[in-house]
Amino acid sequence: MSDKLIYLDSAATTAVDKSIAEIALKYYTDDFYNPSSLYKQAHVVKRQLEDAAARIGRLLGADGGDIVFTSCATESNNYALECGYKNKKGNLVISGGEHASVYEKAMNIKSGGRDVRIVPLKPDGRVDGEKLLAAVDENTALVSVIHVSNETGAINDAADLCKRVKDKNKRAVFHSDGVQAFCKLNIDLQSTGIDLYSVSAHKVGGLKGVGALYVKKGFNMKPFIVGGGQQGNRRSGTENVGGIVSFAAAAELYKSKAACFNAKAVYNYLVTQIKSELDYAIINGSADSGNCYILSVSFPGIKGEVLAHMLEEKGILIGLGSACSTHVKQSRVHLQLGLSQKETEGSIRISLSPDNTVDEIKYAASELMAAVKKLKGIIDG
Ligand code: PLP
């Protein structure tokens, strides 16, 4: 292999292609105008923002008017949980597999006295649909279910869960965190009842610090951030024009590359290799639940951190559990899957991007196997 690093941590963030960075740069240099200003140059910039919203909307199966740009998906998720429903006394129902930006926000709301119901995951990493429905009642204000788990890659059928929730309580608002699904799975929000959907630019080759929230047409959401009334008063603050316009371009590029990348085949290859050589390995979340871009695996007895450093020496970069929660000792998601502390400590997360090549994957798989065997040999004596 060359000296080029093999990057297998794309669920944490992705590289920005130079062509995308150049699009962003243009809006900080030549076309730096404030889109709310009066002159022609500013109107041109404003139209670019509208165009970006339409393009992101198209990728989500929605219209531009349904898109609110935010500073990141963490903000989109916080916005949804804070402002995404009128029934301010109603209960909130979330899955136990939510990203911290939903989970901690829900805990925050709970500490203010609200009834927040957390629905456990099944061993395959998906939320238990029956328990989710049992938690929903006539007083449920909002339900939030992550579309693709950032920790295990498990895919929840957000559209189906939304339908079942609304069959039980048609006033309940349905939000899904789509950060790890966007541009990877086919999403057609308008054909579902999903009311709110969060995405992030830096997971699809866009800039860090840019996100969006899809808000279903006719859904009159109060703002979370107030001020100058930008974006139809849904989110104040001068828009990050370069970040937003380049987000649209990055997402389109990512989607076109993803169409030619067989993530499921790569995922299956890795699982088969690992299982055939390391029979004690545990695939976290079922390999059958549709997972493709994210593979979480535990090697009990081994420290994931040590393994990650060994692979780094070989030029391979991987993640542990989730990049956003490396300081958390026992992962909340792993606990629900029944993993012991030891199994969590021995877990790594490999996450793919359409830029990964077959050669990279083969090399990484063989180095992974060698490193685990070496560590296991040391431990078992
Ligand atoms: N939701 C999920 C599923 C994520 O994986 C992440 C980031 O890792 C976020 C939300 C937060 O995204 P951002 O970094 O844009 O705040």
Side-chain angles (χ1 to χ4, degrees):
M1 290 300 293
S2 70
D3 290 340
K4 189 173 162 270
L5 288 173
I6 296 176
Y7 185 65
L8 298 177
D9 197 21
S10 292
T13 196
T14 56
V16 178
D17 193 85
K18 291 228 164 44
S19 63
I20 301 298
E22 273 162 20
I23 291 172
L25 184 63
K26 184 162 120 60
Y27 294 95
Y28 297 101
T29 52
D30 301 342
D31 296 335
F32 61 88
Y33 307 98
N34 187 326
S36 300
S37 293
L38 290 176
Y39 29 82
K40 194 173 78 205
Q41 289 81 350
H43 288 175
V44 172
V45 169
K46 189 162 182 68
R47 272 200 298 278
Q48 289 298 313
L49 277 181
E50 287 160 4
D51 180 60
R55 292 159 74 188
I56 296 289
R58 257 195 304 280
L59 291 166
L60 287 167
D63 288 335
D66 307 338
I67 306 300
V68 180
F69 290 108
T70 61
S71 68
C72 56
T74 296
E75 183 190 322
S76 305
N77 284 341
N78 271 252
Y79 183 20
L81 265 78
E82 181 75 34
C83 307
Y85 45 89
K86 304 224 161 31
N87 176 4
K88 292 295 176 194
K89 293 210 171 83
N91 61 69
L92 305 186
V93 177
I94 67 167
S95 91
E98 295 305 297
H99 182 265
S101 52
V102 168
Y103 187 84
E104 293 304 329
K105 181 66 191 171
M107 289 304 103
N108 219 252
I109 293 171
K110 185 180 160 107
S111 66
R114 185 85 62 84
D115 178 5
V116 174
R117 303 169 180 179
I118 301 168
V119 182
L121 302 178
K122 294 184 294 181
D124 69 6
R126 288 182 283 200
V127 67
D128 188 317
E130 297 312 314
K131 290 195 173 135
L132 184 87
L133 284 176
V136 172
D137 60 23
E138 68 287 347
N139 204 24
T140 297
L142 175 129
V143 176
S144 188
V145 176
I146 193 165
H147 197 174
V148 174
S149 165
N150 52 300
E151 292 199 43
T152 65
I155 301 173
N156 288 303
D157 188 342
D160 180 60
L161 290 170
C162 171
K163 184 180 175 307
R164 290 162 68 195
V165 163
K166 290 192 181 256
D167 283 348
K168 189 157 178 195
N169 174 356
K170 65 177 185 319
R171 289 184 320 276
V173 172
F174 194 93
H175 166 253
S176 186
D177 174 348
V179 168
Q180 300 291 349
F182 184 47
C183 297
K184 297 173 181 130
L185 303 185
N186 285 326
I187 300 162
D188 185 23
L189 289 174
Q190 274 178 357
S191 69
T192 71
I194 295 173
D195 300 287
L196 304 167
Y197 194 86
S198 304
V199 295
S200 176
H202 74 104
K203 310 291 184 176
V204 293
L207 270 53
K208 292 168 184 65
V210 185
L213 181 70
Y214 157 86
V215 180
K216 193 164 88 179
K217 229 177 279 316
F219 194 91
N220 188 14
M221 213 165 146
K222 286 236 160 58
F224 182 47
I225 294 184
V226 294
Q230 287 91 341
Q231 300 196 63
N233 201 32
R234 291 184 296 185
R235 202 276 189 184
S236 285
T238 304
E239 296 88 341
N240 175 359
V241 183
I244 290 169
V245 177
S246 60
F247 178 21
E252 286 169 353
L253 179 65
Y254 194 100
K255 176 100 187 174
S256 68
K257 287 186 193 170
C260 312
F261 179 69
N262 193 342
K264 186 71 195 162
V266 177
Y267 179 97
N268 286 343
Y269 168 79
L270 288 170
V271 170
T272 309
Q273 291 289 309
I274 292 168
K275 286 199 153 178
S276 64
E277 288 196 39
L278 311 166
D279 56 3
Y280 45 88
I282 302 166
I283 305 298
N284 299 324
S286 165
D288 304 325
S289 54
N291 310 30
C292 45
Y293 278 85
I294 298 176
L295 168 62
S296 169
V297 53
S298 291
F299 304 104
I302 283 176
K303 295 261 185 285
E305 230 172 294
V306 177
L307 178 57
H309 284 308
M310 279 177 77
L311 292 174
E312 188 181 341
E313 294 281 301
K314 301 283 179 191
I316 301 160
L317 306 182
I318 59 162
L320 299 174
S322 151
C324 300
S325 60
T326 40
H327 59 282
V328 179
K329 259 278 164 253
Q330 169 66 307
S331 144
R332 169 172 41 86
V333 169
H334 287 185
L335 262 178
Q336 291 172 74
L337 302 186
L339 293 188
S340 64
Q341 174 83 24
K342 202 168 142 194
E343 287 161 348
T344 283
E345 279 171 12
S347 81
I348 57 165
R349 181 185 71 175
I350 294 173
S351 49
L352 307 169
S353 106
D355 289 328
N356 292 130
T357 65
V358 171
D359 284 349
E360 284 183 346
I361 299 297
K362 284 190 173 155
Y363 173 74
S366 79
E367 290 298 336
L368 170 67
M369 247 59 85
V372 174
K373 284 178 191 163
K374 190 166 169 192
L375 286 174
K376 209 57 183 157
I378 295 167
I379 290 157
D380 298 341

